[in-house]
DNA sequence: CCTTCAGTTCCAAATTTCGGAACATGGTGC
DNA sequence: GCACCATGTTCCGAAATTTGGAACTGAAGG
């Protein structure tokens, strides 16, 4: 294992639920000997990837990660376009919008568009969630081949909420339904009482894949309102797919033509 | 040079002005042989610190930096407190507020509070600027010992705008004035036609240092208006220094007492 | 004074990294 | 079709770094 790999292993210990760690935390989480942990933490601190609170001596991501994180948005083309459209839909419907990307079998929230409805934002940007328990996460997975999905989902299928697919077969069934209907939704999964609908958008040139969702309180919305969201999302998906050259946006004959 | 150091050297090549780099760019900027560059870029990409645009093959900061950057705010106590106060002053005065930290002889913008005045925000968060050419940067430097300042400023004094201190002696003179009057300002330095006033705030326990500034168009403000800003900033500094236990906020006798 | 906890330093062995050179790969002009 | 150039990647032995156990330090607590 290279020095860089070990360093990354340490960095990956930090998360929204564990934004700062003590020496002992890091040692426990990485399972490395004290000496290695000590040296590595010092290097990371010295180079700015980590900071150490002079008081509590705990470590947290440093100034350099802040600077680099700010640059990440270069990603823009696809995301910015999607965000603009999403923003419009959110002001129209009052619900909260999310844009996320896939990383392994998890998704990471990139952008949030708060709605006017009083549903607190529960997933700040940077938040990680298993993609199999969200509407946009499953929409993204549905765009991958079954083989690729199998490679991403851990062999030891994760423990998920009751409403989510409980095993690999259920997951594939659910993804097939998304592929067939083009609609993905979720209710009472990641968060009790919260539902969402989502779709996946791919950049036609790069294949870059993002998931877009609108979430709302299940109790506080009627079936009619949710149908409106579905229509809005459908229109948005169609428009964005044309704009970004997403192959799913192409009529079937044309797609067939491209494949040859 | 360790693998981690080389990796950081590459990461530090990215900046707001250069948010993505080609293989050749990285090689030129780091001055390393092709083979090393190739291996290192691959590692960085594989671990998520960098992403590669599949189309242009250019590299940019990756998802991991985004996630970690989101966690950086742990810094909070001092910055969040300052930001709240700054926000109030900015709505009152209509000008734009900045919070930055020192890194070597440069400062990095952490937070921006846009004012209502139509002065476009020119320094987004993450932006690096030599601290010697900004009001809050110099205010932070003024809190350090001359020896420490000398250690931070490059021996080869950087090229700076006409209104900024042109050499180390001028810089020290200017910092002494800040120490004496407690006031730091700048005009037509980092950006033509833009002026600012700032101060530095230290956390009494940790010694953590941040710089707070309000910036405005020099042409579009009167001397009276700038005096108002000075007064607002003075009041804010005093209040924040009490709140955060900044030693500068303590009356002299008390400070003398603490030193014993 | 002894013990524990938290972390650092030391050292020889083991693993990585290093950079030059040879080897792909993909356009471009002739 | 072919030489040619720009980009990158892979290979290899030498050289440097990393590794982890153990000894060490320093502070806190009983």
């Amino acid at each position: 294992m290279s020095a860089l790999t070990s360093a990354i292993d340490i960095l990956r210990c930090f998360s929204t639920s564990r934004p700062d760690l003590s020496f002992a935390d890091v040692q426990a989480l990485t399972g490395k000997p004290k000496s290695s942990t000590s040296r590595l933490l010092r290097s990371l601190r010295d180079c700015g990837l980590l900071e150490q609170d002079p008081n509590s001596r705990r470590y947290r991501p440093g100034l350099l990660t802040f600077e680099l994180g700010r640059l990440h948005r270069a990603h823009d083309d696809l995301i910015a376009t999607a965000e603009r459209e999403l923003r419009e839909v959110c002001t129209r419907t009052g619900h909260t919008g999310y844009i996320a990307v896939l990383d392994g079998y998890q998704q990471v929230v990139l952008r949030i568009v708060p709605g006017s409805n009083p549903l607190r934002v529960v997933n700040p940007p940077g938040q990680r969630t298993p993609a199999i328990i969200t509407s946009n996460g499953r929409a993204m997975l549905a765009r991958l081949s079954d083989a690729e999905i199998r490679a991403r989902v851990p062999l030891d299928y994760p423990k998920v909420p009751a409403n989510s697919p409980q095993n690999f077969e259920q997951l594939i069934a659910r993804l097939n339904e998304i592929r067939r209907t083009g609609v993905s939704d979720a209710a009472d999964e990641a968060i009790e009482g919260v539902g969402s609908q989502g779709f996946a958008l791919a950049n036609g040139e790069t294949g870059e894949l993002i998931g877009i969702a609108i979430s709302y309180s299940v109790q506080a919305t009627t079936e009619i309102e949710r149908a409106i969201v579905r229509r809005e999302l459908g229109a948005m998906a169609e428009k964005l797919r044309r704009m970004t050259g997403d192959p799913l946006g192409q009529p079937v004959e044309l797609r067939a033509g491209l494949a040859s």
Side-chain angles (χ1 to χ4, degrees), chain A:
Chain A
M1 173 180 283
S2 76
L4 187 60
T5 319
S6 322
I8 297 298
D9 280 349
I10 291 186
L11 291 180
R12 286 200 186 279
C13 294
F14 295 88
S15 67
T16 22
S17 52
R18 282 196 249 96
D20 63 346
L21 298 170
S22 69
F23 180 101
D25 292 337
V26 175
Q27 205 199 331
L29 287 165
T30 59
K32 298 229 146 211
K34 279 199 297 185
S35 50
S36 308
T37 308
S38 177
R39 257 174 296 127
L40 223 24
L41 280 176
R42 198 218 318 257
S43 309
L44 287 169
R45 169 158 51 79
D46 289 350
C47 74
L49 241 25
L50 290 183
E51 289 173 357
Q52 189 171 24
D53 185 305
N55 215 245
S56 66
R57 306 187 54 66
R58 295 174 70 81
Y59 295 87
R60 62 188 175 214
L63 185 59
L64 183 57
T65 65
F66 172 80
E67 292 181 64
L68 292 169
R70 292 290 313 186
L71 296 175
H72 173 78
R73 68 198 160 73
H75 236 243
D76 260 346
D77 296 354
L78 188 63
I79 295 162
T81 312
E83 192 180 359
R84 268 192 301 278
E85 294 299 317
L86 182 59
R87 201 166 287 278
E88 278 188 31
V89 174
C90 288
T91 46
R92 253 203 312 277
T93 62
H95 301 305
T96 298
Y98 288 93
I99 300 180
V101 289
L102 218 48
D103 184 37
Y105 85 106
Q106 298 195 301
Q107 62 171 21
V108 178
V109 173
L110 288 185
R111 296 283 192 285
I112 288 197
V113 181
S116 51
N117 288 357
L119 173 61
R120 208 182 54 205
V121 168
V122 275
N123 284 323
Q127 181 72 250
R128 266 177 188 276
T129 321
I132 55 182
I133 69 169
T134 70
S135 61
N136 49 344
R138 286 193 293 256
M140 284 188 276
L141 290 174
R143 298 282 300 255
L144 306 178
S145 71
D146 285 11
E148 197 164 355
I149 295 166
R150 194 175 289 275
R152 284 170 181 257
V153 177
L155 265 81
D156 188 12
Y157 193 86
K159 194 116 192 82
V160 295
N163 272 356
S164 306
Q166 295 297 312
N167 54 49
F168 196 78
E169 288 66 41
Q170 283 185 24
L171 174 64
I172 294 293
R174 188 106 183 222
L175 297 185
N176 277 329
E177 201 181 306
I178 295 172
R179 287 166 181 154
R180 196 167 45 76
T181 64
V183 170
S184 173
D185 58 13
D188 291 318
E189 298 189 39
I191 305 129
E192 184 69 28
V194 173
S196 70
Q197 297 176 40
F199 66 94
L201 180 67
N203 181 326
E205 300 197 8
T206 65
E208 190 188 350
L209 192 64
I210 65 177
I212 298 164
I214 293 208
S215 82
Y216 38 76
S217 157
V218 175
Q219 289 88 333
T221 49
T222 62
E223 182 47 53
I224 296 184
E225 229 170 317
R226 291 194 283 273
I228 294 178
V229 170
R230 177 144 42 247
R231 218 194 37 224
E232 287 273 3
L233 272 180
M236 178 174 155
E238 200 195 338
K239 184 174 177 190
L240 279 171
R241 281 176 179 150
R242 266 204 314 274
M243 290 170 74
T244 62
D246 186 332
L248 255 197
Q250 322 256 338
V252 179
E253 321 84 73
L254 193 57
R255 252 189 283 162
L258 282 174
S260 67

